[in-house]
Amino acid sequence: QEKYLFSEIEPKWQKKWVDRKDYQAEEHSDKPKFYALAMFPYPSGNLHMGHVRNYSIVDVIARFKRMRGYNVLHPIGWDSFGLPAENAAIKNQTPPSEWTWKNIANMKRQLQEMGISYDWDREVTTCHPDYYKFTQWVFLEFYKHGLVYKKKAGVNWCPSCATVLANEQVVDGACERCDTAVTKKDLEQWFFKITDYAQVLLDDLEKLPGWPDKVKTMQKNWIGRSEGAEVEFDLENHEDKIRVYTTRVDTIFGVSYVVLAPEHPLVQKLIAGTEYENDVQVFIERMKGLNEIARTSTETEKEGLFTGAYCINPYSGEKVPIWIANYVLFEYGTGAVMGVPAHDERDFEFAGKYKLPIKTVILPEGTPVEEKDAPLQAAFVEEGIMVNSGEYDALKNMEAWEKMCDKAEQDGFGERKVNFRLRDWLISRQRYWGAPIPMIYCDHCGIVPVPQDQLPVMLPDDVVFKAGENPLTTSESFKQTTCPTCGGKARRETDTMDTFMCSSWYFLRYTDPHNAQLPFAKEAADHWMNVDQYVGGVEHAILHLLYSRFFTKALRDFGYLKVDEPFANLLTQGMVCLGGAKMSKSKGNVVSPEEIISKYGADTARLFILFAAPPERDLEWSDQGVEGCYRFLNRVWRLAAQYEEVLKEKASETGANDFGELDKAAKDMRRQTHQTIQRVTSDVGARFNFNTAVSAIMELVNALYLYKEQPQVNLAVAREALESILILLAPFAPHITEEIWSELGHEDSIHSREWPQMDEEALVQEEVTVVLQINGKVKDRIQVPAQISAAELEAQVRQLPRLGEWTQGKQILKIVTVPGKLVNVVVK
Ligand code: ANZ
Ligand code: ZN
């Protein structure tokens, strides 16, 4: 064929690969396994360039590993529950399922048009009852093991729409629909006890050398382990005590106030019937309107109010005023803190604003003790020597820390305490398009889990979609049920699950996607897990990865699999940008993959996106870059066309390895072929430097074009070069390489070929000329083997017959060698 007609080639091979099931993972195989996984997409409607990048990266890895002799599992599926489908349902009055399945069909077509080597038999779709049945099953399993509980928790509430809002529906603190200020409302909701796994989730980050450090740091900060102490302050004129959590008990002689979170139940007791009651109540109401982020942001002005009550410092016996303030969170620690303005920046600011005393209790080492009461310009937050702290004076503050904790423990007013920032995971959503939580409320029996053999709890169709209501509560057929225990009348839970539940175990389902009894069989999971290479956006670096790790560890503890970490290696790909900004609809700077593919073909799109930047870096879109890749593929096409005829003729005469006598040009050609094999193998296999791998292939193409112009061409060498180009390029541009491969007369798929072996001998550069100097003066030029070492070169020079003549009996002091270049003999 003369012309490179990608629009004919690509669909032809895509169909063959799918029909022949070329990329099916083998159930039983002697080959080592390799599990390559891209984060599965949300079916929003169309693929964007971020998807193209993600899936192209994993496809190169999967294809490469297959050619390297692995039994590769490379699946795909759909993270298909969630809010957009429900919003579309309200807007278009079509069921969320219709919208979702239509999008899946479209995106599946687009994926197939990219020629990604998926095992389509393992496709999973989280909104399909066959899948969410097991999401429910997993929920019940966690429930059985005491890792699920119900409690009251605040949700975003729009007073005007009278509805619960997801975080995404709150824009700058207001309802996205009606712009009313969003408040908090307490509802009974379901939680997963991820905090039981906080320590091990932290510790096991150590087991993940194949993860980017930045992701591990993000996880670590999110888990937020904090070592401190809880200390009790007695209340003046009250039975109750205030327990504070502090990481700096060593500063406790510097406490000038104690602060409670506005929601702290003690606040009501303290103010009841006092002159402070009204003002405090107003303050609390105002705080309820603000979410946690707004309240604790360093940007936010610290605000507080005195409650009129006092407590007693257990170490100093001093009387301490009790305040409430916006920056104290009820959900963290004990919801109460001690304020130490001299040693905490936030407290320093607060004390300045409200004229509270600032008392130094730690001085920098070396500061004269006389300066202990000098006014401070800023909080001193470093380590130092204790002052103004009674019996602890003159100690290093960390020693005082230990002694003070000992005292609290001995006297029973406190103890050492480890806290985590990590909260339990609120999985309840007051939404329709999610997996129904499989729980039943019976007046007799209370909360009854749906027996696992009665799953799935199906989403009903007879629901009304209107803004401001959980559609599930509009379905009587769904709500009314019978109690599995007593058979009496009962009511179904109408909350559905956070979609992160669906995505926390999908990688396990791929190992056994058709299992009707269990989410996956242990043997299947044990065989395929863990995922050898996971690739996705850094936006999932915290929650998705943390929840998936939690699920894997818990399911391991329940006995369902043996690995304890789901993802052995993680690659977080960079963004695709245009004009320096991430491509996004809202910025209007998107390039549609479909357009690029129809104009240049999938191979060009893939090649560009892999060539333009290393996978972890951001990638700047460039039309010229795309053109360049397209031209390169055309060049490969023409190169093959020109060789095809000659090669076909000679193919029978020359055996695969029968190169005969090689002239210099042929040797150079072979050397570059094998250098390229070496380069691409390590760039792709060890470092994911796809861009440099592609450049090396491009250079090899150039070299072969030149070689072709030689008066005498060794066809075995040329063919080896051409076939190497094709095989090395195959993971990047799978269609064109497959087409040329078959045109060359091969019956098998290029993608089932073995990856080429680098031939050490071909790398040998035979002889080079080395300059010989005596005391820096050029005396001669000698021919030596190119690969010669410094020691060998020196030995050879010492044996030169004419050496004595040149040195004229003088003593040789040393011989300086630059292998491949020169030798300098220093004499005296
Ligand atoms: C007194 C003190 C003095 C503190 C000092 C710090 C420095 P991490 O490391 O994040 O655990 N704190 C405790 N509970 C809080 C809550 N519910 N809301 C807001 N702040 C809270 O931080 C622990 C420190 O954060 C604690 O130590 C407490 O302030 C504050 F020189 O106690 B510290
Ligand atoms: Zn019952």
Side-chain angles (χ1 to χ4, degrees), residues 224-229 244-252 255 259 261 295-296 326-347 361-362 379-381 419-421 423:
R225 187 178 198 272
S226 156
E227 267 177 57
V244 303
Y245 174 68
T246 176
T247 49
R248 293 296 305 275
V249 68
D250 51 314
T251 65
I252 200 161
V255 169
V259 204
R295 266 172 56 178
T296 53
N326 57 348
Y327 67 81
V328 179
L329 297 176
F330 182 50
E331 285 87 19
Y332 186 64
T334 58
V337 307
M338 58 189 218
V340 187
H343 301 290
D344 182 81
E345 278 157 21
R346 191 173 60 185
D347 298 351
V361 292
I362 298 172
F380 175 66
V381 300
N419 263 330
F420 292 93
R421 285 262 149 214
R423 309 283 76 183

Short mmCIF file of all heavy atoms in Angstrom, two decimals, residues 224-229 244-252 255 259 261 295-296 326-347 361-362 379-381 419-421 423, ligand 1:
data_model
loop_
_atom_site.label_atom_id
_atom_site.label_comp_id
_atom_site.label_asym_id
_atom_site.label_seq_id
_atom_site.Cartn_x
_atom_site.Cartn_y
_atom_site.Cartn_z
N GLY A 224 -2.62 12.05 59.83
CA GLY A 224 -2.32 13.06 60.85
C GLY A 224 -2.12 12.53 62.26
O GLY A 224 -2.83 12.91 63.18
N ARG A 225 -1.12 11.69 62.43
CA ARG A 225 -0.85 11.18 63.77
C ARG A 225 -0.26 12.28 64.64
O ARG A 225 0.63 13.01 64.23
CB ARG A 225 0.12 10.02 63.70
CG ARG A 225 0.34 9.32 65.02
CD ARG A 225 1.28 8.15 64.84
NE ARG A 225 1.19 7.23 65.94
CZ ARG A 225 1.90 7.33 67.04
NH1 ARG A 225 2.73 8.33 67.21
NH2 ARG A 225 1.77 6.42 68.00
N SER A 226 -0.77 12.39 65.86
CA SER A 226 -0.31 13.44 66.76
C SER A 226 -0.09 12.83 68.14
O SER A 226 -0.95 12.12 68.65
CB SER A 226 -1.36 14.54 66.78
OG SER A 226 -1.30 15.30 67.94
N GLU A 227 1.09 13.09 68.72
CA GLU A 227 1.38 12.55 70.05
C GLU A 227 1.27 13.65 71.07
O GLU A 227 1.94 14.67 70.96
CB GLU A 227 2.81 11.99 70.07
CG GLU A 227 2.86 10.52 69.75
CD GLU A 227 4.28 9.99 69.70
OE1 GLU A 227 5.00 10.14 70.70
OE2 GLU A 227 4.64 9.44 68.65
N GLY A 228 0.43 13.43 72.07
CA GLY A 228 0.24 14.48 73.06
C GLY A 228 -0.28 13.90 74.36
O GLY A 228 0.04 12.76 74.71
N ALA A 229 -1.08 14.70 75.06
CA ALA A 229 -1.64 14.25 76.34
C ALA A 229 -3.02 14.86 76.53
O ALA A 229 -3.31 15.95 76.00
CB ALA A 229 -0.73 14.69 77.48
N VAL A 244 -8.69 18.68 78.09
CA VAL A 244 -8.12 19.27 76.87
C VAL A 244 -7.15 18.28 76.26
O VAL A 244 -6.60 17.42 76.96
CB VAL A 244 -7.36 20.60 77.15
CG1 VAL A 244 -8.27 21.61 77.82
CG2 VAL A 244 -6.11 20.36 77.98
N TYR A 245 -6.97 18.40 74.95
CA TYR A 245 -5.92 17.63 74.29
C TYR A 245 -4.82 18.60 73.88
O TYR A 245 -5.10 19.63 73.25
CB TYR A 245 -6.45 16.91 73.04
CG TYR A 245 -5.33 16.24 72.28
CD1 TYR A 245 -4.66 15.14 72.84
CD2 TYR A 245 -4.91 16.71 71.05
CE1 TYR A 245 -3.60 14.54 72.17
CE2 TYR A 245 -3.85 16.11 70.37
CZ TYR A 245 -3.21 15.02 70.94
OH TYR A 245 -2.15 14.43 70.29
N THR A 246 -3.59 18.28 74.28
CA THR A 246 -2.47 19.16 73.92
C THR A 246 -1.25 18.34 73.51
O THR A 246 -1.00 17.27 74.05
CB THR A 246 -2.09 20.09 75.09
OG1 THR A 246 -0.94 20.85 74.71
CG2 THR A 246 -1.75 19.30 76.36
N THR A 247 -0.53 18.87 72.53
CA THR A 247 0.74 18.25 72.17
C THR A 247 1.88 18.91 72.95
O THR A 247 3.02 18.51 72.83
CB THR A 247 1.02 18.42 70.66
OG1 THR A 247 0.81 19.79 70.31
CG2 THR A 247 0.12 17.53 69.84
N ARG A 248 1.53 19.96 73.69
CA ARG A 248 2.56 20.74 74.38
C ARG A 248 2.24 20.91 75.85
O ARG A 248 2.17 22.03 76.37
CB ARG A 248 2.70 22.10 73.70
CG ARG A 248 3.25 22.06 72.29
CD ARG A 248 4.68 21.53 72.20
NE ARG A 248 5.61 22.26 73.05
CZ ARG A 248 6.22 23.38 72.70
NH1 ARG A 248 6.03 23.89 71.51
NH2 ARG A 248 7.05 23.99 73.54
N VAL A 249 2.12 19.78 76.53
CA VAL A 249 1.81 19.86 77.97
C VAL A 249 2.94 20.61 78.70
O VAL A 249 2.71 21.23 79.74
CB VAL A 249 1.57 18.45 78.55
CG1 VAL A 249 2.81 17.62 78.56
CG2 VAL A 249 0.94 18.53 79.93
N ASP A 250 4.13 20.61 78.14
CA ASP A 250 5.25 21.35 78.75
C ASP A 250 4.99 22.84 78.87
O ASP A 250 5.64 23.53 79.65
CB ASP A 250 6.54 21.10 77.94
CG ASP A 250 6.35 21.37 76.45
OD1 ASP A 250 5.33 20.91 75.88
OD2 ASP A 250 7.20 22.05 75.85
N THR A 251 4.01 23.35 78.11
CA THR A 251 3.73 24.79 78.18
C THR A 251 2.61 25.12 79.15
O THR A 251 2.13 26.26 79.19
CB THR A 251 3.32 25.33 76.79
OG1 THR A 251 2.07 24.72 76.40
CG2 THR A 251 4.37 25.06 75.72
N ILE A 252 2.19 24.15 79.95
CA ILE A 252 0.92 24.31 80.67
C ILE A 252 0.95 25.40 81.76
O ILE A 252 -0.08 25.96 82.10
CB ILE A 252 0.45 22.95 81.24
CG1 ILE A 252 -1.05 22.99 81.54
CG2 ILE A 252 1.26 22.54 82.46
CD1 ILE A 252 -1.69 21.61 81.67
N VAL A 255 -0.59 28.69 80.44
CA VAL A 255 -1.99 28.75 79.99
C VAL A 255 -2.65 30.02 80.51
O VAL A 255 -2.61 30.30 81.71
CB VAL A 255 -2.77 27.53 80.51
CG1 VAL A 255 -4.27 27.71 80.29
CG2 VAL A 255 -2.28 26.26 79.83
N VAL A 259 -10.26 27.03 75.91
CA VAL A 259 -11.31 27.28 74.91
C VAL A 259 -12.08 26.00 74.59
O VAL A 259 -11.47 24.97 74.32
CB VAL A 259 -10.74 27.77 73.56
CG1 VAL A 259 -11.80 28.55 72.81
CG2 VAL A 259 -9.49 28.58 73.75
N ALA A 261 -14.98 24.16 72.03
CA ALA A 261 -15.66 24.29 70.74
C ALA A 261 -17.07 24.77 71.02
O ALA A 261 -17.67 24.38 72.03
CB ALA A 261 -15.69 22.93 70.04
N ARG A 295 -13.90 27.59 59.22
CA ARG A 295 -13.62 27.92 60.62
C ARG A 295 -12.15 27.82 60.98
O ARG A 295 -11.66 28.51 61.85
CB ARG A 295 -14.43 27.00 61.53
CG ARG A 295 -15.75 27.65 61.92
CD ARG A 295 -16.66 26.72 62.64
NE ARG A 295 -16.05 26.12 63.83
CZ ARG A 295 -16.71 25.29 64.62
NH1 ARG A 295 -17.96 24.99 64.36
NH2 ARG A 295 -16.11 24.77 65.67
N THR A 296 -11.44 26.89 60.34
CA THR A 296 -10.07 26.63 60.80
C THR A 296 -9.01 27.16 59.84
O THR A 296 -7.83 27.07 60.14
CB THR A 296 -9.83 25.11 60.96
OG1 THR A 296 -10.21 24.49 59.73
CG2 THR A 296 -10.66 24.56 62.08
N ASN A 326 -14.16 30.09 67.39
CA ASN A 326 -14.43 29.44 66.11
C ASN A 326 -13.38 28.40 65.74
O ASN A 326 -13.67 27.42 65.09
CB ASN A 326 -14.56 30.48 64.99
CG ASN A 326 -13.35 31.38 64.83
OD1 ASN A 326 -12.46 31.40 65.70
ND2 ASN A 326 -13.31 32.14 63.76
N TYR A 327 -12.14 28.62 66.16
CA TYR A 327 -11.08 27.74 65.64
C TYR A 327 -10.97 26.40 66.35
O TYR A 327 -10.17 25.56 65.94
CB TYR A 327 -9.74 28.48 65.65
CG TYR A 327 -9.16 28.81 67.01
CD1 TYR A 327 -8.47 27.85 67.74
CD2 TYR A 327 -9.31 30.08 67.57
CE1 TYR A 327 -7.93 28.14 68.98
CE2 TYR A 327 -8.78 30.38 68.81
CZ TYR A 327 -8.09 29.41 69.52
OH TYR A 327 -7.58 29.70 70.74
N VAL A 328 -11.72 26.19 67.40
CA VAL A 328 -11.65 24.89 68.07
C VAL A 328 -12.72 23.96 67.49
O VAL A 328 -13.91 24.29 67.47
CB VAL A 328 -11.83 25.03 69.59
CG1 VAL A 328 -11.79 23.65 70.25
CG2 VAL A 328 -10.74 25.92 70.16
N LEU A 329 -12.25 22.83 67.00
CA LEU A 329 -13.15 21.87 66.38
C LEU A 329 -13.68 20.89 67.41
O LEU A 329 -12.93 20.36 68.22
CB LEU A 329 -12.42 21.07 65.30
CG LEU A 329 -11.89 21.89 64.13
CD1 LEU A 329 -11.11 21.00 63.20
CD2 LEU A 329 -13.07 22.54 63.41
N PHE A 330 -14.97 20.66 67.36
CA PHE A 330 -15.57 19.72 68.31
C PHE A 330 -15.12 18.29 68.02
O PHE A 330 -14.94 17.48 68.92
CB PHE A 330 -17.09 19.84 68.23
CG PHE A 330 -17.79 18.94 69.21
CD1 PHE A 330 -17.42 18.93 70.55
CD2 PHE A 330 -18.81 18.09 68.78
CE1 PHE A 330 -18.05 18.10 71.45
CE2 PHE A 330 -19.43 17.25 69.69
CZ PHE A 330 -19.07 17.26 71.02
N GLU A 331 -14.91 18.00 66.73
CA GLU A 331 -14.61 16.61 66.35
C GLU A 331 -13.17 16.20 66.58
O GLU A 331 -12.84 15.03 66.44
CB GLU A 331 -14.94 16.37 64.87
CG GLU A 331 -16.40 16.27 64.55
CD GLU A 331 -17.04 17.62 64.29
OE1 GLU A 331 -16.28 18.57 64.01
OE2 GLU A 331 -18.27 17.72 64.40
N TYR A 332 -12.29 17.12 66.89
CA TYR A 332 -10.89 16.73 67.06
C TYR A 332 -10.50 16.71 68.53
O TYR A 332 -10.91 17.58 69.30
CB TYR A 332 -9.97 17.67 66.27
CG TYR A 332 -8.52 17.19 66.30
CD1 TYR A 332 -8.16 15.99 65.70
CD2 TYR A 332 -7.54 17.91 66.97
CE1 TYR A 332 -6.86 15.53 65.73
CE2 TYR A 332 -6.22 17.47 67.02
CZ TYR A 332 -5.89 16.27 66.40
OH TYR A 332 -4.60 15.81 66.45
N GLY A 333 -9.67 15.74 68.90
CA GLY A 333 -9.20 15.64 70.28
C GLY A 333 -10.37 15.54 71.23
O GLY A 333 -11.23 14.67 71.09
N THR A 334 -10.46 16.46 72.19
CA THR A 334 -11.57 16.45 73.14
C THR A 334 -12.53 17.60 72.88
O THR A 334 -13.46 17.83 73.65
CB THR A 334 -11.02 16.60 74.57
OG1 THR A 334 -10.27 17.83 74.63
CG2 THR A 334 -10.11 15.43 74.93
N GLY A 335 -12.27 18.37 71.83
CA GLY A 335 -13.11 19.53 71.55
C GLY A 335 -12.85 20.68 72.51
O GLY A 335 -13.64 21.62 72.62
N ALA A 336 -11.72 20.57 73.22
CA ALA A 336 -11.36 21.62 74.17
C ALA A 336 -9.85 21.79 74.13
O ALA A 336 -9.12 20.80 74.04
CB ALA A 336 -11.79 21.25 75.58
N VAL A 337 -9.37 23.03 74.17
CA VAL A 337 -7.92 23.25 74.14
C VAL A 337 -7.51 24.26 75.19
O VAL A 337 -8.32 25.07 75.65
CB VAL A 337 -7.43 23.74 72.74
CG1 VAL A 337 -7.89 22.82 71.64
CG2 VAL A 337 -7.87 25.15 72.48
N MET A 338 -6.24 24.16 75.56
CA MET A 338 -5.70 25.17 76.46
C MET A 338 -4.95 26.20 75.63
O MET A 338 -4.24 25.84 74.68
CB MET A 338 -4.79 24.52 77.51
CG MET A 338 -3.61 23.75 76.94
SD MET A 338 -2.75 22.82 78.22
CE MET A 338 -1.04 23.03 77.68
N GLY A 339 -5.13 27.47 75.96
CA GLY A 339 -4.50 28.53 75.18
C GLY A 339 -3.19 28.97 75.82
O GLY A 339 -3.15 29.33 76.99
N VAL A 340 -2.11 28.89 75.04
CA VAL A 340 -0.78 29.28 75.54
C VAL A 340 -0.19 30.31 74.59
O VAL A 340 0.58 29.98 73.68
CB VAL A 340 0.16 28.05 75.63
CG1 VAL A 340 1.47 28.45 76.32
CG2 VAL A 340 -0.49 26.90 76.36
N PRO A 341 -0.55 31.57 74.76
CA PRO A 341 -0.17 32.60 73.79
C PRO A 341 1.34 32.72 73.57
O PRO A 341 1.77 32.99 72.45
CB PRO A 341 -0.73 33.89 74.39
CG PRO A 341 -1.78 33.45 75.34
CD PRO A 341 -1.39 32.10 75.84
N ALA A 342 2.14 32.50 74.61
CA ALA A 342 3.58 32.72 74.45
C ALA A 342 4.22 31.69 73.52
O ALA A 342 5.30 31.92 72.98
CB ALA A 342 4.26 32.67 75.82
N HIS A 343 3.57 30.54 73.31
CA HIS A 343 4.23 29.46 72.57
C HIS A 343 3.42 28.88 71.42
O HIS A 343 3.75 27.82 70.90
CB HIS A 343 4.67 28.38 73.56
CG HIS A 343 5.60 28.93 74.60
ND1 HIS A 343 6.87 29.33 74.30
CD2 HIS A 343 5.38 29.25 75.91
CE1 HIS A 343 7.44 29.84 75.40
NE2 HIS A 343 6.55 29.81 76.38
N ASP A 344 2.35 29.53 71.06
CA ASP A 344 1.56 29.07 69.92
C ASP A 344 1.11 30.30 69.15
O ASP A 344 0.56 31.25 69.72
CB ASP A 344 0.35 28.29 70.42
CG ASP A 344 -0.47 27.76 69.27
OD1 ASP A 344 -0.10 26.72 68.70
OD2 ASP A 344 -1.50 28.40 68.92
N GLU A 345 1.34 30.29 67.84
CA GLU A 345 1.05 31.48 67.03
C GLU A 345 -0.43 31.86 67.05
O GLU A 345 -0.78 33.04 67.16
CB GLU A 345 1.49 31.24 65.59
CG GLU A 345 2.98 31.48 65.39
CD GLU A 345 3.56 30.76 64.20
OE1 GLU A 345 2.79 30.39 63.29
OE2 GLU A 345 4.80 30.55 64.19
N ARG A 346 -1.26 30.85 66.94
CA ARG A 346 -2.70 31.11 66.90
C ARG A 346 -3.15 31.74 68.22
O ARG A 346 -3.90 32.71 68.25
CB ARG A 346 -3.40 29.77 66.68
CG ARG A 346 -4.85 29.86 66.37
CD ARG A 346 -5.38 28.49 66.01
NE ARG A 346 -5.20 27.54 67.11
CZ ARG A 346 -5.49 26.24 67.03
NH1 ARG A 346 -5.95 25.74 65.90
NH2 ARG A 346 -5.31 25.46 68.05
N ASP A 347 -2.64 31.16 69.33
CA ASP A 347 -3.03 31.68 70.65
C ASP A 347 -2.47 33.08 70.88
O ASP A 347 -3.08 33.91 71.55
CB ASP A 347 -2.52 30.73 71.75
CG ASP A 347 -3.14 29.34 71.63
OD1 ASP A 347 -4.08 29.18 70.82
OD2 ASP A 347 -2.69 28.41 72.34
N VAL A 361 7.02 30.50 79.26
CA VAL A 361 7.45 29.39 80.12
C VAL A 361 8.62 28.60 79.52
O VAL A 361 9.13 27.68 80.15
CB VAL A 361 6.28 28.43 80.46
CG1 VAL A 361 5.26 29.12 81.37
CG2 VAL A 361 5.62 27.89 79.20
N ILE A 362 9.02 28.98 78.30
CA ILE A 362 10.20 28.34 77.70
C ILE A 362 11.07 29.45 77.09
O ILE A 362 10.56 30.31 76.37
CB ILE A 362 9.82 27.34 76.60
CG1 ILE A 362 8.97 26.21 77.21
CG2 ILE A 362 11.05 26.75 75.92
CD1 ILE A 362 8.37 25.28 76.18
N ALA A 379 5.15 34.51 69.13
CA ALA A 379 5.17 33.28 69.92
C ALA A 379 6.52 32.58 69.70
O ALA A 379 7.05 32.57 68.60
CB ALA A 379 4.04 32.37 69.47
N PHE A 380 7.07 32.01 70.79
CA PHE A 380 8.28 31.20 70.66
C PHE A 380 7.88 29.73 70.62
O PHE A 380 7.44 29.17 71.61
CB PHE A 380 9.22 31.49 71.85
CG PHE A 380 10.45 30.60 71.84
CD1 PHE A 380 11.40 30.72 70.84
CD2 PHE A 380 10.62 29.62 72.82
CE1 PHE A 380 12.51 29.89 70.80
CE2 PHE A 380 11.74 28.78 72.79
CZ PHE A 380 12.68 28.92 71.79
N VAL A 381 8.03 29.12 69.45
CA VAL A 381 7.47 27.78 69.27
C VAL A 381 8.55 26.69 69.26
O VAL A 381 8.25 25.51 69.09
CB VAL A 381 6.62 27.67 67.99
CG1 VAL A 381 5.47 28.65 68.03
CG2 VAL A 381 7.49 27.92 66.75
N ASN A 419 -3.47 10.95 68.98
CA ASN A 419 -4.67 11.30 68.23
C ASN A 419 -4.40 11.24 66.73
O ASN A 419 -3.26 11.38 66.30
CB ASN A 419 -5.11 12.73 68.56
CG ASN A 419 -6.19 12.74 69.61
OD1 ASN A 419 -6.98 11.81 69.71
ND2 ASN A 419 -6.21 13.80 70.40
N PHE A 420 -5.45 11.04 65.99
CA PHE A 420 -5.34 11.07 64.53
C PHE A 420 -6.29 12.12 63.98
O PHE A 420 -7.40 12.27 64.47
CB PHE A 420 -5.69 9.70 63.95
CG PHE A 420 -4.69 8.64 64.28
CD1 PHE A 420 -4.84 7.83 65.40
CD2 PHE A 420 -3.57 8.46 63.48
CE1 PHE A 420 -3.91 6.86 65.72
CE2 PHE A 420 -2.64 7.48 63.79
CZ PHE A 420 -2.80 6.68 64.92
N ARG A 421 -5.84 12.81 62.94
CA ARG A 421 -6.71 13.76 62.24
C ARG A 421 -7.81 13.00 61.50
O ARG A 421 -8.90 13.51 61.30
CB ARG A 421 -5.92 14.53 61.18
CG ARG A 421 -5.03 15.58 61.71
CD ARG A 421 -5.67 16.97 61.63
NE ARG A 421 -5.16 17.75 62.73
CZ ARG A 421 -5.84 18.67 63.41
NH1 ARG A 421 -7.06 18.96 63.06
NH2 ARG A 421 -5.30 19.29 64.43
N ARG A 423 -10.79 11.05 60.33
CA ARG A 423 -12.12 10.84 60.92
C ARG A 423 -12.69 9.55 60.37
O ARG A 423 -12.28 9.06 59.33
CB ARG A 423 -13.08 11.97 60.52
CG ARG A 423 -12.62 13.39 60.73
CD ARG A 423 -12.71 13.79 62.16
NE ARG A 423 -11.57 13.16 62.84
CZ ARG A 423 -11.33 13.22 64.11
NH1 ARG A 423 -12.16 13.85 64.89
NH2 ARG A 423 -10.27 12.65 64.65
C1 ANZ B 1 -1.60 23.77 73.93
C2 ANZ B 1 -0.55 24.17 73.02
C3 ANZ B 1 0.55 24.97 73.25
C4 ANZ B 1 -0.69 23.58 71.78
C5 ANZ B 1 1.43 25.18 72.27
C6 ANZ B 1 0.16 23.75 70.76
C7 ANZ B 1 1.24 24.57 70.98
P1 ANZ B 1 -2.04 18.49 66.32
O1 ANZ B 1 -0.56 18.39 66.17
O2 ANZ B 1 -2.73 18.83 65.05
O3 ANZ B 1 -2.64 17.32 67.02
N1 ANZ B 1 -5.87 21.53 69.50
C8 ANZ B 1 -6.19 20.40 70.15
N2 ANZ B 1 -7.46 20.05 69.92
C9 ANZ B 1 -7.95 20.97 69.07
C10 ANZ B 1 -9.21 21.16 68.46
N3 ANZ B 1 -10.23 20.33 68.70
N4 ANZ B 1 -9.39 22.23 67.65
C11 ANZ B 1 -8.37 23.08 67.42
N5 ANZ B 1 -7.16 22.96 67.97
C12 ANZ B 1 -6.94 21.92 68.80
O4 ANZ B 1 -2.30 19.79 67.22
C13 ANZ B 1 -2.57 19.66 68.58
C14 ANZ B 1 -2.66 21.05 69.14
O5 ANZ B 1 -3.76 21.72 68.53
C15 ANZ B 1 -2.93 20.99 70.62
O6 ANZ B 1 -1.80 21.37 71.37
C16 ANZ B 1 -3.91 22.14 70.80
O7 ANZ B 1 -3.09 23.25 71.08
C17 ANZ B 1 -4.60 22.27 69.49
F1 ANZ B 1 2.47 25.94 72.49
O8 ANZ B 1 -2.27 22.71 73.26
B1 ANZ B 1 -1.97 22.74 71.84
#
